[in-house]
Amino acid sequence: MTQAPEVRDELQSDLGWALGVVLRAYAKGAGHVIAGVPGGPRGYQVLAAAASGAEGTQLALANKLGVDRTVMTYLLDDLEQAGLIERRPDPADRRARRIVATDAGRATMCELQVKLEHVETRVLGALAEPERAVFRDLLRKLATRVDEHDPLADACTMVEELTDVPPTARARRRRPSG
């Protein structure tokens, strides 16, 4: 259903509308790309960190990504069972485990990155490449500044804040879907 032109003109100057439309398009496309990753978006974040060579400990990675330690354990179990990551003893502390991407995990990450680039190209298709670069830089600068003043613990917290998820639903969220 198309909106009347006068309503559309008003909305086009509204920052919230513009951000919402772009975010929705990116989230839909990215959701399809990472749908097969155990743990969905959180699994993708863990795999991305492991594939980037940031061989952090399980606890450090959980803290960095804002994932509850218990949830992180289940998430890592699923990623390990899928053959995407390994837990290796930390040479500095044998009680700790370092998270490392396997060859299959790095290959999967490469495939996902290519597909996510296609999503980004489709979403930002109205902009010429130089405009896309400027847009990314400005968005990164803005996001960094906003996060300094109102840090985001994790993506789930953001969704809960935006959708007003009741506390009982939060308590039930223990094991990542995937």
Side-chain angles (χ1 to χ4, degrees):
M1 180 171 162
T2 350
Q3 294 180 335
E6 63 275 0
V7 174
R8 183 173 294 270
D9 290 343
E10 284 180 25
L11 288 177
Q12 287 180 350
S13 65
D14 184 85
L15 177 65
W17 176 82
L19 290 171
V21 168
V22 173
L23 176 61
R24 184 181 69 228
Y26 184 79
K28 281 171 125 176
H32 289 297
V33 169
I34 61 174
V37 176
R42 288 187 283 191
Y44 170 79
Q45 290 175 336
V46 171
L47 181 58
S52 73
E55 298 179 15
T57 64
Q58 183 171 327
L59 182 58
L61 192 55
N63 289 335
K64 179 180 179 181
L65 297 177
V67 176
D68 178 82
R69 291 182 329 184
T70 307
V71 173
M72 180 61 95
T73 299
Y74 290 123
L75 185 57
L76 293 173
D77 288 345
D78 292 344
L79 289 166
E80 192 168 37
Q81 186 175 26
L84 301 174
I85 59 111
E86 293 178 346
R87 293 175 175 121
R88 295 184 182 160
D90 186 340
D93 180 358
R94 304 290 285 168
R95 296 168 296 169
R97 298 283 178 246
R98 299 187 76 66
I99 308 308
V100 181
T102 62
D103 289 342
R106 285 187 290 282
T108 298
M109 194 62 209
C110 288
E111 292 171 19
L112 293 172
Q113 287 174 329
V114 167
K115 290 177 181 178
L116 287 171
E117 286 174 15
H118 289 296
V119 170
E120 185 177 313
T121 298
R122 192 173 42 236
V123 170
L124 300 179
L127 303 175
E129 187 50 49
E131 292 173 314
R132 292 177 197 178
V134 169
F135 177 77
R136 282 186 210 98
D137 289 343
L138 290 173
L139 188 59
R140 187 176 10 267
K141 181 178 181 180
L142 180 60
T144 302
R145 181 67 184 266
V146 168
D147 193 53
E148 288 173 3
H149 296 288
D150 186 13
L152 179 62
D154 62 61
C156 294
T157 301
M158 178 183 67
V159 170
E160 289 166 0
E161 289 174 359
L162 293 176
T163 59
D164 210 17
V165 173
T168 53
R170 290 182 207 153
R172 283 184 293 220
R173 192 186 60 218
R174 285 286 178 236
R175 185 172 166 96
S177 63

